[in-house]
Amino acid sequence: MPKPLIITVAVTGAETTREQCPGLPITPEEIADDAARAFEAGASILHLHVRRDDGSPTQDKDIFAKAIELVRAKCPILIEVTTGGAAGMPDEERLQPVSLKPEMASLDCGSCNFGDEVLLNSLPQMRAYGKLMREHGVKPSFECFDLGHINNAKMMIDEGFADPPFHFSFVMGVPGALPATIKNLRFMVEDIPEDCLWTCIAIGGKASTLLHPEAIALGGHVRVGFEDNIYLGKGSIASSNADLVAKVAGMAKAAGRDLANVDEARKQLGIRAL
Ligand code: ZN
């Protein structure tokens, strides 16, 4: 019997705009309100990016601190900050939120094309990120955008940058990286070490519709939210992140899989309560 499903909600991201998605939360206040609604709908992890007031992406530590403070005041959802930031940001900028000691942080496990841009993550960069996360007691989520990235994550594990249970995030459907197919998802799952957790991140509505039920059936976990996909159904834009979370919660129910609350997610991830 698979363990209860952990739903991560990625409410904002770095690229989605208000023009594309009117319900996109931008300010720390809006992010906290939206995270609380997503928590009520069944999410147990918040994947957090922040923006400046004009909507542009930033890794500014003060804005992250404000968002984290407001989220924590509203709900006990686990917080995973991004260290991917936006394409082209230097390491010092990307790493800023790690020192705020959130429960988790994403750690990009390699380089790849990202639409018209390029994500650059060399092995020395990955080690520096892993070292800082370890120093601050932050659990890395190994973000793999391509098959070879799993090998890099295994290297990080072998070199002692994380404690078990290890958590992988498979990002599928980024233009220029691994296509979002069931065959590719199964291949990724087979390639990671045993007893790891993994979360499926499907980019776009079509990829989400295809891969979320498969991830639930395979015993994996699911991330949703406006960072990854703005569509609730074909041609219909979700009005809030909570609606996207509720959709996945409904899929889990239909598949007979329980949802993880925050305590259960902490237990599965090996993260102690604050
Ligand atoms: Zn992100």
Side-chain angles (χ1 to χ4, degrees):
M1 189 66 191
K3 291 186 173 162
L5 176 74
I6 298 170
I7 301 178
T8 298
V9 65
V11 297
T12 301
E15 308 234 335
T16 310
T17 65
R18 263 284 158 75
E19 289 67 36
Q20 296 165 329
C21 176
L24 183 79
I26 288 178
T27 65
E29 289 79 8
E30 290 167 351
I31 287 170
D33 287 346
D34 220 50
R37 281 193 292 267
F39 166 76
E40 292 297 329
S44 45
I45 301 176
L46 168 68
H47 174 76
L48 181 63
H49 288 245
V50 297
R51 306 280 184 100
R52 297 184 190 91
D53 287 343
D54 66 1
S56 59
T58 175
Q59 292 291 97
D60 186 285
K61 190 175 164 182
D62 293 340
I63 303 178
F64 266 98
K66 180 81 182 161
I68 290 171
E69 183 196 335
L70 293 174
V71 170
R72 294 222 192 282
K74 282 184 178 281
C75 67
I77 197 166
L78 296 169
I79 297 178
E80 176 193 82
V81 298
T82 177
T83 65
M89 283 180 180
D91 293 332
E92 315 76 66
E93 183 169 6
R94 286 169 56 180
L95 283 167
Q96 286 184 73
V98 174
S99 62
L100 296 168
K101 303 187 192 305
E103 286 97 347
M104 305 164 76
S106 63
L107 198 162
D108 293 354
C109 285
S111 305
C112 61
N113 287 6
F114 191 92
D116 289 345
E117 298 170 303
V118 179
L119 287 188
L120 280 179
N121 298 287
S122 68
L123 298 184
Q125 274 176 294
M126 287 174 54
R127 290 188 181 102
Y129 283 45
K131 183 166 176 278
L132 193 72
M133 288 178 198
R134 186 170 259 315
E135 281 169 12
H136 288 287
V138 176
K139 187 180 189 76
S141 288
F142 295 115
E143 265 193 20
C144 300
F145 294 74
D146 228 327
L147 292 171
H149 293 184
I150 290 180
N151 264 5
N152 297 341
K154 287 178 183 168
M155 178 205 77
M156 295 292 287
I157 290 169
D158 289 345
E159 294 184 10
F161 286 104
D163 293 321
F166 307 111
H167 179 229
F168 287 76
S169 298
F170 303 143
V171 190
M172 305 181 65
V174 169
L178 189 71
T181 66
I182 285 178
K183 192 174 163 188
N184 285 343
L185 177 62
R186 289 183 180 164
F187 193 94
M188 300 280 269
V189 174
E190 279 174 21
D191 203 37
I192 60 173
E194 276 181 35
D195 299 325
C196 292
L197 290 85
W198 59 271
T199 296
C200 174
I201 302 175
I203 306 302
K206 207 171 143 197
S208 301
T209 303
L210 181 68
L211 294 184
H212 290 168
E214 184 70 11
I216 292 168
L218 290 174
H221 304 282
V222 173
R223 183 175 107 178
V224 285
F226 290 148
E227 175 169 349
D228 306 329
N229 166 46
I230 61 174
Y231 294 101
L232 196 55
K234 203 172 177 202
S236 109
I237 294 172
S239 57
S240 87
N241 280 290
D243 292 346
L244 294 166
V245 172
K247 187 176 176 184
V248 173
M251 284 178 196
K253 194 170 179 199
R257 193 153 166 214
D258 290 337
L259 278 196
N261 60 21
V262 168
D263 288 342
E264 168 64 24
R266 281 186 185 280
K267 201 165 93 188
Q268 287 191 46
L269 290 156
I271 297 174
R272 281 195 304 269
L274 290 174

